Amino acid sequence: MFYWVMKRIFLGPVLKLLFRPWVKGLDNIPAGGPAIIASNHLSFSDSIFMPLMVRRPVVFLAKSEYFTGTGIKGRLTALFFRLTNQLPMDRSGGAASAASLTAGMEVLLNGGLLGIYPEGTRSPDSRLYRGKVGVARLALQAGVPVIPVAMIGTDKVQPIGKRLPNIRRIGMIFGEPLDFSRYRDQAEDRDIQRKVTDQIMFELMRLSGQEYVDEYAAVVKLRLAGKAVEPAAAAEPLASTAADAGSGETLPGANQGTPQDMRKADDGGAAAAG
């Protein structure tokens, strides 16, 4: 009830008036049934603007730190996230992340729309970073389509570290649903999970026009802050083994190249066709 009231009556109309969001491809969101909406992640406000424009409720997996803050501000933040259909996501990898993704699976099994950021965290510099395989595992196990969505300009509205937003127009582009049903019987195959994830990231790169970096955003953030790279930053949720989870390396034969390689191949094919 709170979600509907805020979206339709209070917060939604104000945000639409101020930021005048433009949208392409909204019809790619199915009118009913489960699906995953996979988005690039430029700003805290992505989780507000995108569900605002989708007709159906979207349940997001949000970082668990938003739900565990202390003091009045921390408690109010946690309350807001719970009331706006967001679920805590433990990003430490392995069993902890697996438990978090179980909640996401329940959303899909109940026929809902699940929003997820494959990069695992906001981009530190507006580039697109390597996706973690949790999104692929969910899509394959649940047998649901993945709708890629590119958020445009939200990094200019609310850059990292800025409390008050800049009033300017933002946009979003919803791509056509990606069907991975041909891999459903290989949902536990680590190579397939990486392949599916890279295909999703390729679509996000194509839609957003962002430069792709074949490295985890969490690792880059730690490096920029002058901190040691913790194993959790490169960990994959639902990894096959502890060694795989901590390495952050793509297994041999895991894909057909990075999204950058896919773009080159795609551009080359288009040139040849022309």
Side-chain angles (χ1 to χ4, degrees):
M1 182 63 177
F2 177 86
Y3 180 91
W4 186 89
V5 170
M6 292 297 290
K7 179 176 179 177
R8 300 293 185 184
I9 300 177
F10 293 114
L11 187 60
V14 172
L15 291 177
K16 288 181 179 180
L17 179 64
L18 290 175
F19 296 96
R20 298 173 295 121
W22 57 267
V23 184
K24 294 182 180 179
L26 195 58
D27 290 343
N28 287 321
I29 303 293
I36 293 174
I37 300 179
S39 175
N40 61 336
H41 199 11
L42 297 173
S43 166
F44 173 86
S45 60
D46 294 332
S47 299
I48 298 174
F49 286 118
M50 192 268 278
L52 177 65
M53 305 309 296
V54 177
R55 300 181 187 94
R56 297 172 57 190
V58 181
V59 179
F60 259 96
L61 290 177
K63 66 179 182 179
S64 58
E65 289 86 344
Y66 288 141
F67 299 83
T68 57
T70 58
I72 295 177
K73 180 182 177 181
R75 288 194 291 270
L76 288 176
T77 299
L79 179 63
F80 175 80
F81 272 79
R82 290 190 178 94
L83 291 176
T84 53
N85 281 4
Q86 304 201 44
L87 302 173
M89 172 67 192
D90 190 307
R91 302 179 298 174
S92 61
S97 294
S100 298
L101 289 178
T102 298
M105 180 64 73
E106 291 178 1
V107 172
L108 296 172
L109 293 178
N110 288 326
L113 291 178
L114 179 68
I116 191 168
Y117 300 112
E119 292 167 278
T121 186
R122 284 174 289 176
S123 170
D125 54 15
S126 299
R127 296 186 294 176
L128 184 69
Y129 284 83
R130 192 177 195 227
K132 294 194 172 186
V133 300
V135 61
R137 181 75 175 267
L138 281 170
L140 295 174
Q141 284 191 334
V144 301
V146 177
I147 295 98
V149 56
M151 302 301 298
I152 310 293
T154 53
D155 53 331
K156 304 297 190 299
V157 166
Q158 193 173 22
I160 293 177
K162 185 176 176 62
R163 293 179 179 273
L164 297 177
N166 301 313
I167 305 300
R168 56 184 296 160
R169 199 172 193 196
I170 60 98
M172 59 203 78
I173 304 173
F174 292 88
E176 294 183 2
L178 304 175
D179 179 11
F180 299 110
S181 58
R182 61 192 181 280
Y183 300 126
R184 190 170 184 183
D185 61 347
Q186 303 174 71
E188 304 301 324
D189 188 315
R190 174 72 174 192
D191 293 357
I192 294 298
Q193 292 171 17
R194 171 47 57 193
K195 179 177 182 178
V196 167
T197 302
D198 285 346
Q199 289 180 7
I200 293 170
M201 300 313 293
F202 170 74
E203 286 302 312
L204 290 178
M205 180 180 67
R206 186 180 65 82
L207 292 170
S208 69
Q210 290 171 274
E211 177 186 349
Y212 179 79
V213 181
D214 193 29
E215 189 172 14
Y216 293 119
V219 172
V220 174
K221 283 185 173 182
L222 288 173
R223 186 186 306 130
L224 291 173
K227 298 179 180 179
V229 177
E230 302 168 358
E236 290 278 21
L238 304 172
S240 300
T241 67
D244 292 342
S247 69
E249 296 295 328
T250 306
L251 299 182
N255 54 41
Q256 296 176 337
T258 68
Q260 289 170 321
D261 296 331
M262 294 181 196
R263 167 166 281 179
K264 291 176 183 177
D266 189 53
D267 292 344

